[in-house]
Each structure stands twice: as C-alpha cells, then as structure tokens.
Amino acid sequence: MDISSAILIIGFAALVAAFLLLVIGLVYSELMNSDIPCGVANSGKLHMVHGLFVGTAVVGRILHRLGICHQVSFARWFVACFLTRLKQVPAGLRVKDMKFLEVPVRIYEPTSVCEGLRRGLMYFHGGGWILGSIDSVDEVCRHIAIESDTTVISVGYRLAPEHRYPAQLDDCEKATNHFLSVAETEFGVDSHRVAVGGDSTGANLAAALCQRLAWSEDRHLPFPCAQVLIYPALQMADFNLPSYQQNHAVPILFRGRMAFYFLQYLNGDVSLCQEVLEGNHVPTELRPRYEAWLSPSSLPPECLARGFYKHPTPEYDAEAYHAIKAGLEPEVSPLLADDALIQKTPQTFILTCEYDVLRDDGILYRKRLLDLGKDVTWQHVIDGFHGMINFFNQGWLTFPSAVQVVDSVVHYIKTL
C-alpha cells in the first residue's frame, strides 16, 4: 500500500470516527432531556427503545443538513427495514392489498364461517401524519380481525411533507365511502356495522372523518356505527394542559414533537413551533370558548396529582394565527367542534395512557361527548405511554401493556 492510499484510509476512518462521536454526543444529549417516570411499564426497555429512536432521528437530521436525504425519508427507511417485519399470514385469516379509488388499502378477512354479515372496521395508522404505514400496524389489524371476527380495512393514506392537509383526511374519506358502498356485495360486511378508528394521529383522522361525514347533508351512505380512538390527538389550541406539562419529556412523544407534527401536517413551517407551544396562535376572542372545553377543572382529580400550573396568558400573534388557522378548525382539532356537530357523532371508544402528552385530549373529548348525552366507553392504561400499540407482537420490542391496549379494542368491537 502506498502512502497516499494509507492517508486516504486513515482520513476516512477519522471521518467515520468523528461522525460516530457526533452522533453519540447528540444522542446522549437528547437522552438526558428525556424523563421516564418509574410508573411507566417496562421503563428499562422504553429507555432502550427511546435511545434507538433518538439515534435514528439524530442521524436523519445530520444527513438532511448534509443534503444527502430528507430526515423524514431516513426515518421511514429505518422503520421499514429494521422495525417492521411482516410475518406469514396465520390460519383463519385472508389478507390482500388493494386500492379503493386509488387509495392503498390492506384487507383482513376472517375465513371462519359467519352466519349473516360481518362487522367492519376502517383503521387509520398513526405516525404524526408523516410516518407510519399499512405495514406498521399489520400485526394490530391481524389480531383485531381474528379475535373479533371483523373485516378490517387498513388505509394507506398519503403523508406529509409530500402531501399536506387535507390530503390525509380526504384519502380516509374516499376509502371509507368506497368500502361502505361495496361492503355487503363484495365483502359480506354489514354496512351499518362499520366503525372507523385509529391510533394517535390516525385517531385524529377517525374523529375528524366522523365530524366531516356528520356535516354532509346529502349523504346517501350509512354513517359509521362507532369511532375507536386510541390515544387520540384532538386539538392544536393548548399545549399546556396538565398532561403536556407532566409528560413533556416522556418518550416516545415529546411535547414539542407534537407541535412539530401539527405544523408538518398543515404547512411545514416549523419555525412557528414555539409560538404554537406558548399558545400565541390563538385569537383573544376565541380563548374563552376554548378554555371552557379545555379547562383542567374538567379533568378527573387524579390527572392533576403529578402537578400542574396555570400557564400565563399568551400574547396573541396574528401572523402565527393566519399561518395555521386551519389547525383550529374541527377537521384538524375535533375537540374544538361546536356542540351541534359533536352531537351528530356515533358512539365512541376512547383509550388514554397516563404517561402521554395526549392523555387530556382524549379525556376532555370524553367529557364533551358525555355532556351531550353520547355513549362513550373509556379505557385508561395507568402505566401506559404514547405509541404503545406500535410494540404489539414485535418480538423483543413487545411491551406487555400493548396487548392490553389491543385486547381492549377487540373487546369493544365485539359489542358493535
């Protein structure tokens, strides 16, 4: 080996070492900013999973700044390659990929004999409107289909940043309407027993879809019989609720990250993140109305047990409001809909987790529904954290509490 080759190899090795040290340093810094309470189920495993996700995010940011690839693209690639494993279809289930009006769907049909028509479930995956896929919830949909004897349709809606609001909601609506129109003739499903549901931002889409369909005056198709909302994101007005304060640094969803996801969904202007977190985007005249629906006094006392302080009244920023005002509309923030619209929504299942910034969104939506005389089933996972359903039946990544989450959904669906 000549000297020039040796220098080249040494230089490359030094560059790799510097890159690894940079990644390790940034990951360590991020991990020091996290807070995993002792009450979280399998906290040691969550530390490890969080470190894996942080490392992925850090490498993605570095590659993005170097102009090699978009950080979101890297995150999708990593999850698809290392955290998503499609297993052999089990006995008793038929799985096929199709398109409903150009929207990708995966259909899970139990093969057991059924007297009459089956029930159905349209499922929308989570992932902050930018991540997630049909594959990422494959195990969940398989389990629900088999255990509840339900035909499940998983929807592969378009994602941000390539597609902004309302593309995601439009895709969910198109797929749902198409299935309702052919449920009986093509799939042996009772179109009057089809529910919609999802986890996290997928639950946001389910709740928003129910309100959008309820608003349609010329609707000729059956209305969803229920909405299944698993730790839903339901409002963009207040990021200082008790659950946001108590769980602001609990993996896998930080307070600031939720604002980032909303902004990516709307327009991609993440420079407004701090304005949104402080509440400066909410017009003064709307605050009394929102405060009535988002008041901490409407939460159960145990939700305040880990501490809460009243956030100072924010200073209104008209520029921030006009940039994200769609985020305060019901199609993005279903919790902020008028009573008349919420009154038209179907019976509801809501699951919340104690160690989740979105806990209070779900609980406050439950209260609004109950105040209007709606039928609500609420399941609260006392040791749960956001994103648990992603770790259902995932080998060494499995969290036992994820089984509790999915089985509670199964139990509810069986009642429909």
Side-chain angles (χ1 to χ4, degrees):
M1 180 186 299
D2 57 24
I3 295 178
S4 60
S5 298
I7 292 175
L8 187 62
I9 292 172
I10 293 172
F12 178 75
L15 184 62
V16 171
F19 179 78
L20 290 175
L21 286 173
L22 175 62
V23 171
I24 291 170
L26 290 172
V27 170
Y28 179 80
S29 176
E30 292 281 351
L31 290 176
M32 291 301 99
N33 290 327
S34 66
D35 173 32
I36 302 181
C38 59
V40 174
N42 304 98
S43 58
K45 182 183 287 187
L46 183 56
H47 271 290
M48 181 173 59
V49 169
H50 178 50
L52 179 65
F53 283 2
V54 167
T56 303
V58 166
V59 173
R61 287 202 300 268
I62 293 173
L63 295 178
H64 181 81
R65 290 173 182 174
L66 291 174
I68 297 174
C69 70
H70 196 285
Q71 59 181 332
V72 172
S73 300
F74 178 78
R76 291 174 186 167
W77 172 82
F78 183 86
V79 170
C81 289
F82 299 102
L83 300 179
T84 302
R85 296 179 301 165
L86 295 182
K87 302 174 184 176
Q88 184 175 352
V89 177
L93 188 66
R94 180 168 55 247
V95 179
K96 55 185 175 182
D97 290 341
M98 298 182 63
K99 284 190 177 182
F100 286 172
L101 302 179
E102 299 306 312
V103 179
V105 298
R106 180 168 295 164
I107 303 168
Y108 303 82
E109 295 180 282
T111 57
S112 58
V113 177
C114 178
E115 294 185 8
L117 300 173
R118 278 195 168 86
R119 68 176 71 83
L121 171 68
M122 303 295 301
Y123 194 88
F124 312 135
H125 66 79
W129 301 287
I130 65 175
L131 301 171
S133 66
I134 289 175
D135 289 346
S136 67
V137 290
D138 185 71
E139 285 294 325
V140 172
C141 292
R142 290 184 182 195
H143 187 82
I144 293 174
I146 291 176
E147 296 301 322
S148 67
D149 195 31
T150 298
T151 296
V152 178
I153 313 295
S154 182
V155 181
Y157 56 85
R158 288 171 290 175
L159 300 174
E162 296 90 346
H163 306 280
R164 309 288 183 189
Y165 164 81
Q168 293 80 351
L169 185 56
D170 289 346
D171 284 356
C172 292
E173 180 182 23
K174 284 199 295 185
T176 299
N177 282 341
H178 179 79
F179 181 68
L180 288 171
S181 69
V182 300
E184 296 185 18
T185 57
E186 295 186 16
F187 298 98
V189 170
D190 185 347
S191 59
H192 294 276
R193 296 175 64 206
V194 175
V196 298
D199 60 285
S200 188
T201 50
N204 169 282
L205 292 169
L209 178 60
C210 284
Q211 292 187 8
R212 176 186 275 193
L213 297 180
W215 192 256
S216 304
E217 297 183 355
D218 59 345
R219 184 168 180 78
H220 61 281
L221 293 170
F223 191 67
C225 69
Q227 52 183 345
V228 178
L229 312 179
I230 304 168
Y231 40 75
L234 295 172
Q235 57 85 27
M236 194 186 174
D238 191 347
F239 291 84
N240 293 288
L241 291 170
S243 60
Y244 270 108
Q245 293 184 19
Q246 296 162 4
N247 305 311
H248 70 280
V250 176
I252 54 177
L253 180 62
F254 285 12
R255 172 175 174 260
R257 198 67 179 171
M258 194 62 238
F260 170 86
Y261 287 142
F262 269 111
L263 291 169
Q264 285 286 1
Y265 183 34
L266 292 173
N267 57 27
D269 187 359
V270 295
S271 67
L272 296 171
C273 224
Q274 196 57 40
E275 297 286 338
V276 169
L277 289 172
E278 292 297 325
N280 299 339
H281 62 299
V282 180
T284 305
E285 63 271 18
L286 292 179
R287 286 174 185 167
R289 181 182 175 196
Y290 293 167
E291 286 170 3
W293 296 332
L294 303 175
S295 172
S297 63
S298 296
L299 296 167
E302 53 268 29
C303 288
L304 307 178
R306 291 193 287 129
F308 166 71
Y309 67 89
K310 182 172 175 55
H311 189 71
T313 302
E315 182 178 343
Y316 173 52
D317 185 329
E319 185 176 341
Y321 167 68
H322 286 291
I324 59 87
K325 62 182 179 180
L328 300 179
E329 296 296 325
E331 287 198 348
V332 176
S333 295
L335 180 51
L336 306 182
D338 291 332
D339 286 352
L341 184 53
I342 293 180
Q343 180 71 59
K344 296 180 180 180
T345 57
Q347 62 172 294
T348 305
F349 171 85
I350 297 176
L351 184 138
T352 54
C353 293
E354 176 62 27
Y355 300 103
D356 178 9
V357 292
L358 299 179
R359 179 196 68 195
D360 295 348
D361 280 27
I363 294 174
L364 290 170
Y365 198 48
R366 169 181 177 261
K367 183 178 187 306
R368 289 207 64 194
L369 290 164
L370 289 174
D371 288 347
L372 293 170
K374 305 297 291 183
D375 183 8
V376 184
T377 299
W378 177 41
Q379 176 81 22
H380 186 61
V381 184
I382 195 65
D383 61 351
F385 58 91
H386 191 85
M388 292 177 64
I389 206 167
N390 297 311
F391 305 103
F392 173 76
N393 200 16
Q394 294 296 320
W396 67 273
L397 283 173
T398 299
F399 282 77
S401 294
V403 178
Q404 177 187 347
V405 172
V406 179
D407 282 344
S408 66
V409 173
V410 169
H411 179 76
Y412 177 76
I413 291 176
K414 284 181 176 181
T415 68
L416 301 177

